Amino acid sequence: MLKTCSCGELSAQDAGRTVTLAGWVNRRRDLGGLIFIDLRDRDGITQIVANPEISPAAFAAAGTVRPEYVIRVKGKVRLRPAGMENPDMSTGEIEAVASQMTVLNPAKTPPILISREENEEEGLRLRYRYLDLRRERMQRNMLIRHRAVKFIRDFLDERGFIEIETPILFKSTPEGARDYLVPSRVHPGKFYALPQSPQQLKQLLMIAGYERYFQIARCFRDEDQRSDRQPEFTQLDLEMSFVEREDILQLTEELIIGMVAHACEKRIKSVPFPRLSHADALDRYGTDRPDLRYDLELVDLTTIAGRSRFRVFTRAQAAGGVVKGLRSPGCADYSRKQMTDLETLAKSKGAKGLAWLALRQDGSVRSPIAKFLAEPLMAELMAAADMEPGDLLLMVAADREVANAALDVLRGEMARRLRLIDPDEVAFGWVIDFPLFEWNEKEARWDPSHHLFTAPQVHDIPLLDSDPGAVMSDQYDLVCNGYEVGGGSIRIHQRQLQEKVMSLIGLSASSAQEQFGHLLEAFEFGTPPHGGIAPGIDRLVMLLAGEPNIREVIAFPKSQSATDLMANAPSTVTPEQLKELHIKLDLT
RNA sequence: GGGGGCGUAGUGUAGUGGUUAACAUGCUGGCCUGUCAAGCCAGAGAUCGCGGGUUCGAAUCCCGUCGCUCCCGCCA
């Protein structure tokens, strides 16, 4: 090794040792007759002093180095002179006095400063990702990610799970998201698909008798990006045989609790994780992935509001829609501009407008729709929303979906404005009892609300024939801070039931056979009841690290248009490559 | 596919039709033996994303286009 110890490990106890350090010049402070260098490696920073009276050669070398030069320094560790300690540095009690200094490699002035963040355009950080990754923030995030994954592996290993790799080149199935395709050279006109998840493979591993499987699995989906979505992402994919829902929830909960304690400084708000049904989540929070860090629940005001003379309310009710409200404590004095901002937010989710009613401290009411509300009705509305003097009630009248979406975003906005969010806290919860199907208006058929391998709850199986929309599934989602961070289910393990679900979602017997024949066949060779879950590693680590998007916890993420700005991928290939793959381009 | 925001020295910003495009930071040089966002002095550094148009005159107005980003659609 070119170094005897790291820049982060030295402390007062090392005083007197002669050490060799190697790393990057973080900063240099040239005082003329004395030069200080903050030497950085992955482990930390140690201050180097170059003094011409101790080593003229090292002092001369120190004069030539610049930020990001890679250097090697031999020197004696000593306590800093009294009063010169730096309490802001973990190594601030000591410094290394250079007796030798070698430049291992000089560096051009980097386009971004490593030692400080300047809120650069993200494209620039991605183009020079190897420099961005040198920064403290990214090194910290990579470390949190490593610790989280290491904990997962150790935890599951102790519980008898084994990690098994599954293919990256697999089979396309038009269900679900768009596939990334890989052309086959030896089979002209045929394609592999990159897995959207190892779902089928892990079920086949259960059929194969492995009972407890997991994988830190890369998944690929060719859909448009969001701040919490990348074209390739990582899941903890796990599956168990002979389990019921409760077994998976318990195991996952224990895993997450340990991981949080192990990987970061966050506290978990509630243990055990609160559970709510899918229907409850929508009623109370307007979303199936509620942010449980704060209360602010929605109230359904449809029946009261429907008796008002306000046409927007009565029409919504008549059309089968809802009027739902959100009490905003202490916001009765909101200005017109503040109200307009909230209305703009509501409209961004499809609401036609935002009705509101403020109960002033003196008991008087301020509301643009006051003239449509008789006094007793107004009192009823306020009572239903638990209004106290000083509160503001925001109301959206629309179909249920739009009202929920608008109030969900308003709820988040009010929580920020009212500072109800503790940044050191993460709030996990379970959403359970999902409907097995959602009605697809456009295609006039049932879609699986999770995926087509999800088992219906046993007592609802008879409803598959009579009322598919009422069938509840054994699906469960893990949510955290308003993100879906994992989803799973008990799976179907019988061919007949699987075929029934396939036919209900409009899959013909022939295409079911073509796409899933291997799985259907396997079901007939002794398939144990099984189930599992797939927590999203990127989103979890993002929340543990307190980052606003998953790119900050991925070493080499893609841009929103799915490009790699550093390597410049995707890129063109040679005509020869295309010919081998039997591909002709049509770029019209 | 659609909507919003952003694009000006290496970096972050200011600059809403009129001299030589400003400030901070970084960079280069000089001075400086206890700095740690070191300090002081001097200096270099911008075809204002790109293309077209309007105008006597465009960083600024208009059209197009590219890139980054946020959102909708999409994401079993």
Side-chain angles (χ1 to χ4, degrees):
Chain A
M1 285 295 291
L2 298 178
K3 45 162 77 177
T4 60
C5 55
S6 79
C7 295
E9 72 183 68
L10 296 174
S11 70
Q13 285 158 6
D14 298 296
R17 274 177 72 192
T18 296
V19 297
T20 304
L21 299 171
W24 290 260
V25 174
N26 199 51
R27 281 179 204 278
R28 191 179 67 110
R29 292 176 294 280
D30 185 344
L31 275 61
L34 198 62
I35 298 173
F36 295 95
I37 290 170
D38 290 340
L39 187 65
R40 183 191 74 237
D41 63 18
R42 202 194 73 201
D43 197 42
I45 290 178
T46 289
Q47 174 165 285
I48 308 295
V49 196
N51 185 328
E53 290 158 19
I54 291 177
S55 169
F59 180 77
T64 68
V65 305
R66 293 291 180 270
E68 302 313 311
Y69 273 40
V70 182
I71 65 171
R72 183 185 188 205
V73 180
K74 186 174 178 186
K76 197 173 205 174
V77 180
R78 73 171 183 205
L79 293 175
R80 294 194 189 182
M84 301 303 157
E85 301 88 355
N86 184 344
D88 298 331
M89 278 173 89
S90 66
T91 59
E93 284 185 283
I94 54 98
E95 60 194 5
V97 186
S99 53
Q100 287 175 30
M101 186 178 298
T102 321
V103 174
L104 299 175
N105 213 343
K108 296 208 295 188
T109 301
I112 57 173
L113 255 61
I114 310 304
S115 56
R116 189 194 310 161
E117 290 194 37
E118 294 186 293
N119 194 30
E120 302 86 2
E121 187 203 347
E122 200 179 332
L124 186 71
R125 292 176 56 204
L126 293 178
R127 184 158 152 231
Y128 296 99
R129 191 58 157 182
Y130 48 88
L131 297 179
D132 188 43
L133 285 164
R134 283 184 192 167
R135 304 217 267 209
E136 194 183 3
R137 173 191 191 176
M138 295 306 293
Q139 296 210 345
R140 170 184 156 270
N141 290 351
M142 291 304 112
L143 190 62
I144 290 174
R145 186 172 180 133
H146 164 73
R147 284 203 200 113
V149 171
K150 173 80 162 64
F151 179 85
I152 288 169
R153 287 202 160 100
D154 293 345
F155 177 96
L156 292 174
D157 175 61
E158 272 171 31
R159 280 157 184 78
F161 285 80
I162 64 175
E163 183 166 13
I164 299 175
E165 292 177 83
T166 53
I168 293 297
L169 295 177
F170 199 51
K171 182 182 167 77
S172 176
T173 56
E175 300 296 315
R178 196 176 294 116
D179 284 322
Y180 275 101
L181 297 177
V182 178
S184 164
R185 174 179 57 84
V186 287
H187 300 284
K190 293 188 176 172
F191 296 82
Y192 301 96
L194 308 184
Q196 297 178 27
S197 88
Q199 180 63 34
Q200 293 182 49
L201 293 154
K202 71 175 172 180
Q203 290 192 241
L204 289 159
L205 286 168
M206 292 303 103
I207 297 169
Y210 284 83
E211 297 198 34
R212 294 174 172 227
Y213 141 92
F214 82 100
Q215 180 179 196
I216 305 296
R218 195 65 65 84
C219 307
F220 305 86
R221 293 178 193 175
D222 185 5
E223 298 292 349
D224 288 339
Q225 311 310 303
R226 290 289 184 278
S227 53
D228 62 348
R229 280 169 24 192
Q230 282 272 302
E232 52 180 307
F233 60 98
T234 306
Q235 283 185 343
L236 161 58
D237 193 52
L238 84 82
E239 197 79 3
M240 296 173 80
S241 295
F242 309 110
V243 288
E244 296 170 304
R245 178 177 82 184
E246 194 58 29
D247 301 303
I248 302 287
L249 299 194
Q250 287 295 340
L251 176 92
T252 306
E253 201 158 320
E254 207 183 318
L255 170 67
I256 295 285
I257 290 166
M259 188 185 79
V260 171
H262 214 259
C264 68
E265 306 293 317
K266 302 279 188 199
R267 285 188 318 272
I268 298 179
K269 186 179 171 91
S270 311
V271 174
F273 299 169
R275 296 182 187 186
L276 60 172
S277 73
H278 180 254
D280 265 359
L282 289 173
D283 284 349
R284 290 162 60 190
Y285 303 100
T287 171
D288 58 7
R289 42 184 173 88
D291 192 336
L292 301 171
R293 287 176 296 179
Y294 46 89
D295 297 330
L296 295 184
E297 294 193 15
L298 312 185
V299 283
D300 193 324
L301 304 168
T302 311
T303 52
I304 304 173
R307 287 186 277 118
S308 74
R309 294 190 307 276
F310 187 39
R311 296 280 297 272
V312 173
F313 286 177
T314 54
R315 268 197 219 125
Q317 187 195 32
V322 295
V323 181
K324 288 182 77 168
L326 174 70
R327 183 180 76 99
S328 305
C331 299
D333 294 324
Y334 259 32
S335 67
R336 211 172 110 176
K337 162 146 180 32
Q338 285 171 304
M339 292 310 311
T340 308
D341 289 348
L342 293 179
E343 181 165 32
T344 304
L345 209 53
K347 284 180 172 168
S348 77
K349 297 289 170 176
K352 291 284 192 297
L354 180 65
W356 55 273
L357 184 156
L359 179 59
R360 293 198 186 92
Q361 284 295 346
D362 64 10
S364 64
V365 168
R366 179 170 73 112
S367 170
I369 59 166
K371 57 178 177 253
F372 303 113
L373 304 171
E375 288 241 341
L377 200 71
M378 208 171 327
E380 262 189 87
L381 273 179
M382 292 193 289
D386 279 329
M387 294 273 285
E388 288 176 20
D391 290 353
L392 170 70
L393 178 62
L394 303 172
M395 291 171 282
V396 175
D399 65 63
R400 188 174 294 274
E401 210 170 310
V402 166
N404 279 338
L407 286 163
D408 171 40
V409 66
L410 286 172
R411 180 174 172 267
E413 175 65 15
M414 294 318 298
R416 270 187 295 283
R417 289 180 183 222
L418 295 167
R419 298 184 198 290
L420 300 179
I421 297 170
D422 178 346
D424 296 325
E425 218 167 47
V426 283
F428 288 93
W430 290 108
V431 180
I432 56 177
D433 294 336
F434 284 74
L436 184 61
F437 299 113
E438 284 165 8
W439 182 248
N440 182 333
E441 204 69 57
K442 233 186 325 184
E443 310 280 339
R445 60 143 202 259
W446 295 104
D447 280 343
S449 43
H450 183 44
H451 57 53
L452 73 169
F453 310 114
T454 300
Q457 292 186 9
V458 177
H459 49 82
D460 284 351
I461 289 178
L463 291 175
L464 283 173
D465 293 314
S466 54
D467 188 4
V471 177
M472 287 290 145
S473 75
D474 256 328
Q475 181 196 340
Y476 28 85
D477 275 4
L478 180 65
V479 299
C480 180
N481 294 9
Y483 291 89
E484 183 199 321
V485 293
S489 60
I490 300 299
R491 324 296 183 189
I492 295 169
H493 63 283
Q494 290 147 320
R495 176 166 188 153
Q496 204 183 4
L497 185 56
Q498 185 67 71
E499 283 176 332
K500 168 158 270 178
V501 167
M502 285 173 168
S503 79
L504 275 165
I505 64 174
L507 208 59
S508 71
S510 62
S511 45
Q513 184 58 35
E514 154 67 22
Q515 290 169 40
F516 302 108
H518 52 288
L519 187 65
L520 292 169
E521 186 180 35
F523 277 158
E524 297 185 300
F525 287 104
T527 300
H530 61 285
I533 190 165
I537 299 291
D538 311 281
R539 286 181 191 172
L540 278 170
V541 174
M542 166 185 88
L543 294 168
L544 302 196
E547 290 289 2
N549 66 66
I550 63 172
R551 294 184 302 277
E552 302 295 350
V553 300
I554 297 172
F556 299 100
K558 289 181 178 53
S559 74
Q560 186 150 48
S561 52
T563 62
D564 183 317
L565 294 171
M566 183 180 65
N568 219 351
S571 57
T572 54
V573 297
T574 64
E576 291 73 26
Q577 285 176 297
L578 289 176
K579 192 155 192 296
E580 273 190 325
L581 295 170
H582 323 285
I583 287 179
K584 282 191 181 133
L585 298 182
D586 177 8
L587 300 176
T588 48

